Amino acid sequence: MRKSSWRTTLVKGSTSAIGVAVLGGSLLAAIPSLSGAADDLSEAAARTLESKISLLADPESREPVSYQPIVVTEREANSYFKFRGSEFLPPALHNPQISIAPEKLTARALVNFDELGEFGAKTDDWGAKFLALVFKGQQEVVATGKLETSKGQGTVTLDSMTVGDTSIPPAFVNFLVRNYLERKYKIDLSKPFDLPPHVTRIEVGSGRATFYRGPGK
């Protein structure tokens, strides 16, 4: 798989959650603040994550001793969103951030729904246009979910979402996920997805995610 296409798979947990947030739906949870402050983000940290993505995306066989775990930190992920996010995130989504904690993933972003509507009109994106009718102005969108992995596959469970002070009903979230997000991004959150090459499982802890690897996947 090409690096560019696998990058989308690698950040699927985060971008799908942020994508769900943009859609009014639900992604990676509502906590008062993220441990990775914006002042800590850097181009160097974004490059560090890029190098880790390259390692994870490498399909070549290796000696077992070389399959060391790869740790991705919140700071690296948020730096990547800040300095690389414009390459794969909608233009109406600003300052996306992710928080990693045991049993919970959190994503938040400022979404300009007026800008999202203009984007939808230009691209004939019905989901973006629909959300711009429901929500107005710039609002913070926060979503929560859980990542579970084993035997080279993972699942993302989307739990809750808020837009500004409004809690989004689960039925509305499910409608958007089923009829828009899964079709647009070619993912089915109801089914397990393949982890990166040689990754057997991902363990999430306080401020970091550890990718465990091995030749037996």
Side-chain angles (χ1 to χ4, degrees), residues 66-108:
S66 68
Y67 287 110
Q68 298 298 320
I70 293 178
V71 177
V72 174
T73 68
E74 281 180 11
R75 180 172 180 267
E76 292 167 349
N78 289 326
S79 293
Y80 191 80
F81 281 131
K82 179 177 180 178
F83 294 98
R84 304 288 187 273
S86 61
E87 300 174 12
F88 56 88
L89 294 175
L93 189 150
H94 305 282
N95 193 30
Q97 295 180 324
I98 184 173
S99 177
I100 306 170
E103 303 298 322
K104 184 170 68 175
L105 297 172
T106 302
R108 66 178 65 222

Side-chain angles (χ1 to χ4, degrees), residues 18-41:
I18 289 179
V20 174
V22 172
L23 298 172
S26 130
L27 165 86
L28 298 168
I31 59 172
S33 63
L34 296 175
S35 61
D39 291 344
D40 294 333
L41 307 185

Side-chain angles (χ1 to χ4, degrees), residues 61-216:
S61 298
R62 297 177 180 276
E63 295 297 327
V65 70
S66 68
Y67 287 110
Q68 298 298 320
I70 293 178
V71 177
V72 174
T73 68
E74 281 180 11
R75 180 172 180 267
E76 292 167 349
N78 289 326
S79 293
Y80 191 80
F81 281 131
K82 179 177 180 178
F83 294 98
R84 304 288 187 273
S86 61
E87 300 174 12
F88 56 88
L89 294 175
L93 189 150
H94 305 282
N95 193 30
Q97 295 180 324
I98 184 173
S99 177
I100 306 170
E103 303 298 322
K104 184 170 68 175
L105 297 172
T106 302
R108 66 178 65 222
L110 292 176
V111 179
N112 188 320
F113 288 97
D114 298 333
E115 187 179 354
L116 187 65
E118 295 175 1
F119 171 77
K122 292 179 181 178
T123 60
D124 196 27
D125 187 325
W126 76 264
K129 291 187 287 186
F130 175 72
L131 286 171
L133 291 175
V134 178
F135 303 104
K136 300 297 181 182
Q138 181 168 276
Q139 301 192 57
E140 183 180 46
V141 178
V142 181
T144 71
K146 179 186 294 184
L147 173 67
E148 296 178 296
T149 65
S150 66
K151 299 180 180 179
Q153 292 191 317
T155 57
V156 174
T157 303
L158 304 174
D159 296 329
S160 65
M161 178 200 162
T162 59
V163 177
D165 296 328
T166 303
S167 179
I168 306 303
F172 185 55
V173 173
N174 291 333
F175 170 80
L176 289 169
V177 169
R178 184 176 60 255
N179 292 285
Y180 180 75
L181 184 69
E182 292 181 353
R183 293 181 182 179
K184 182 176 179 63
Y185 295 100
K186 303 298 187 294
I187 60 174
D188 185 347
L189 296 182
S190 67
K191 299 177 181 178
F193 56 86
D194 289 334
L195 297 179
H198 312 305
V199 174
T200 57
R201 65 186 175 92
I202 303 172
E203 184 177 297
V204 293
S206 298
R208 62 183 56 206
T210 303
F211 292 71
Y212 289 93
R213 305 188 296 158

